[in-house]
Amino acid sequence: MARTVLVVEDEVKIREMLRSYLEREGLDVLTTGSGAEALTLIEQTAPDLVLLDLRLPDITGEEVAREVRRTSNVPILMLTAKSAEADRIRGLELGADDYVTKPFSPRELVLRIQALLRRGGAEPAVSRTSFGGGDVVIDEDRREVLVRGVAVELTPTEWGLLAALAGTPGRVFSRFELINRVRGYEYEGYERTIDSHVKNLRRKIEIDSRDPAIIETVLGVGYRFGVGRDA
């Protein structure tokens, strides 16, 4: 079955160009130029990925992303004309999985979409892995994470990041290595964008700030999974 991408872009020429490229790759494509209509389509059709422009005529792309993340972990790839790193980081902190700045290469955009649609990233070595006396349980088969018995919903990027780190507890991963493991291709964006994804992931799985960190920062290098695997 073909995967469905919702393109949210108010410029008709760009919207139709994106439709053409994505359909050529065998994807089903829905389009809209309205943020409000995008929210309705997401609720009604449950697309596999949302390609979201930030500048929309009714509500901003940031507002759309924030609203979507209240109820869904559908992958979001943001399109933005904003070139400042702070703007891109803000989008990632709102729950976007990736971003592309305008003007962009259609082929690069397709590669990023395909990477997000794949079950990219390293996976834990066994189907169900427990850490920290059962505080964190990663179930590969169900693609589920339990934190103290409660299921936690992760975006595809957050899942890939957690799976990569937890696959080898204690091993230090550089930001560059994590981005390429999660993306599944040679990613040329800022390595620091991984910090935003780690921040979002920590917010979801590290419930009590008094507990030892599950994902530890290694200054000047990157990150490691700091909770020992249960016997």
Side-chain angles (χ1 to χ4, degrees):
M1 179 182 295
R3 312 295 290 277
T4 300
V5 175
L6 171 62
V7 176
V8 188
E9 166 63 61
D10 66 325
E11 293 188 39
V12 176
K13 288 184 178 180
I14 295 178
R15 191 164 69 230
E16 292 308 309
M17 179 268 289
L18 291 171
R19 179 200 291 275
S20 176
Y21 269 93
L22 295 175
E23 288 182 341
R24 203 177 304 165
E25 295 296 323
L27 297 166
D28 289 336
V29 182
L30 301 172
T31 66
T32 179
S34 160
E37 185 177 4
L39 293 173
T40 299
L41 286 170
I42 291 168
E43 182 178 358
Q44 293 178 346
T45 67
D48 297 292
L49 183 142
V50 177
L51 185 58
L52 178 62
D53 185 26
L54 293 186
R55 293 185 177 180
L56 299 171
D58 48 358
I59 58 178
T60 67
E62 288 95 340
E63 290 176 283
V64 173
R66 187 181 296 108
E67 188 64 30
V68 169
R69 280 292 172 258
R70 291 178 181 173
T71 58
S72 172
N73 283 295
V74 60
I76 297 175
L77 195 161
M78 285 185 170
L79 287 175
T80 176
K82 300 176 180 179
S83 58
E85 183 178 4
D87 293 321
R88 294 191 292 268
I89 295 298
R90 174 60 178 159
L92 295 172
E93 290 179 344
L94 286 172
D97 293 277
D98 200 357
Y99 63 84
V100 172
T101 55
K102 296 179 180 178
F104 56 84
S105 159
R107 184 56 188 159
E108 178 189 0
L109 182 64
V110 168
L111 286 173
R112 294 194 184 204
I113 288 173
Q114 290 173 336
L116 286 173
L117 289 174
R118 288 196 301 267
R119 288 188 61 179
E123 301 289 342
V126 295
S127 62
R128 188 178 175 90
T129 313
S130 178
F131 299 88
D135 278 355
V136 179
V137 176
I138 300 173
D139 192 323
E140 177 186 355
D141 293 335
R142 294 186 178 183
R143 200 174 173 84
E144 181 179 65
V145 178
L146 301 177
V147 178
R148 296 180 181 173
V150 178
V152 176
E153 295 293 329
L154 302 181
T155 68
T157 299
E158 291 163 358
W159 169 263
L161 180 60
L162 179 62
L165 290 167
T168 314
R171 180 181 183 275
V172 179
F173 290 84
S174 70
R175 291 177 175 85
F176 179 81
E177 185 177 7
L178 285 171
I179 278 187
N180 282 286
R181 279 174 174 255
V182 170
R183 293 290 179 234
Y185 63 95
E186 198 67 22
Y187 183 77
E188 296 181 353
Y190 289 92
E191 293 177 30
R192 288 285 176 178
T193 60
I194 207 71
D195 295 344
S196 295
H197 294 303
V198 169
K199 180 179 179 180
N200 291 339
L201 183 57
R202 281 172 167 164
R203 189 183 301 128
K204 292 180 178 182
I205 67 175
E206 297 185 355
I207 298 175
D208 194 332
S209 60
R210 295 170 296 181
D211 293 338
I214 295 175
I215 299 175
E216 298 176 349
T217 300
V218 181
L219 294 178
V221 183
Y223 298 97
R224 67 184 169 201
F225 200 84
V227 180
R229 179 176 295 186
D230 296 340

